[in-house]
Amino acid sequence: MSVSEGTSRRGILLKIGLIFNGAAGVVLGVPIVRYLLAPLIREPGTPSETWLSLGSLDQFPAGETRLATFRNPIVYPTDGQTANIPCWVRRVDSEKFQVFAINCAHLGCPVRWFPQSGLFLCPCHGGVYYQDGSRASGPPERGLFEYAYKVDQGTLLIKAGKMPTTGSPNAGLVSIGKSPCA
């Protein structure tokens, strides 16, 4: 096997290594660049302002708290079941609801509802919340995060697409609306 006079084995291996490293850099860099540029290239009317149905009002009896799920509007085909997001729906009376994110305000563990005690409990670090989502005890410094909601033609809708957090413009505020047809 002969190598041309200007090219050595070391030079060829160096070029192959540079090509592989460049390809790996591109593969790793594209998602990072997409993430950084996403706010600039997002189209108006994106799913972050989407109202999603949790179901008919009949599914949520007054005075009870029920688990509901919705499909994340910002989803990729490979997300599968992970795009189904659970939430707790509390119907206070005939027209007033509270829709809580299932995540504890401490570190995001899923909270469970215990109707016997009327409390939400976090299994990870012992966070406890009253039925209205306010903090009862434990490490969380605030109550459960709430989704904005509205009632439209007998259906409970929530504003989804963003996780409700303390940094959200309407953090802790609930949108109470009536359908013009109701």
Side-chain angles (χ1 to χ4, degrees):
M1 203 184 289
S2 71
V3 178
S4 66
E5 292 183 19
T7 310
S8 67
R9 183 180 299 172
R10 177 176 276 168
I12 292 173
L13 291 175
L14 178 65
K15 288 178 184 177
I16 291 172
L18 288 173
I19 290 171
F20 281 130
N21 284 331
V26 168
V27 167
L28 293 174
V30 167
I32 294 170
V33 170
R34 280 188 63 201
Y35 173 78
L36 294 173
L37 296 179
L40 300 175
I41 58 176
R42 177 177 281 164
E43 296 177 13
T46 57
S48 64
E49 298 297 321
T50 301
W51 288 94
L52 297 175
S53 172
L54 291 180
S56 70
L57 298 181
D58 300 337
Q59 293 178 284
F60 308 105
E64 289 190 26
T65 300
R66 298 258 172 110
L67 185 66
T69 59
F70 62 92
R71 185 93 174 150
N72 187 349
I74 305 170
V75 66
Y76 294 100
T78 56
D79 288 346
Q81 292 296 319
T82 61
N84 294 333
I85 300 174
C87 60
W88 291 107
V89 178
R90 176 177 175 243
R91 187 168 187 173
V92 179
D93 58 34
S94 63
E95 295 295 323
K96 185 176 180 189
F97 291 85
Q98 286 184 293
V99 182
F100 303 111
I102 198 166
N103 307 90
C104 177
H106 178 228
L107 292 177
C109 293
V111 297
R112 290 189 55 206
W113 168 248
F114 290 89
Q116 306 86 350
S117 60
L119 297 171
F120 291 99
L121 301 175
C122 176
C124 296
H125 302 106
V128 181
Y129 303 91
Y130 294 115
Q131 67 180 357
D132 67 353
S134 62
R135 178 189 177 275
S137 69
E141 295 184 7
R142 65 172 314 280
L144 291 172
F145 299 112
E146 289 188 52
Y147 288 100
Y149 77 89
K150 69 180 180 179
V151 175
D152 186 26
Q153 299 178 2
T155 302
L156 179 62
L157 304 167
I158 63 167
K159 186 181 266 189
K162 292 182 190 175
M163 175 69 179
T165 63
T166 55
S168 299
N170 297 325
L173 300 178
V174 179
S175 166
I176 300 173
K178 289 185 179 179
S179 167
C181 301

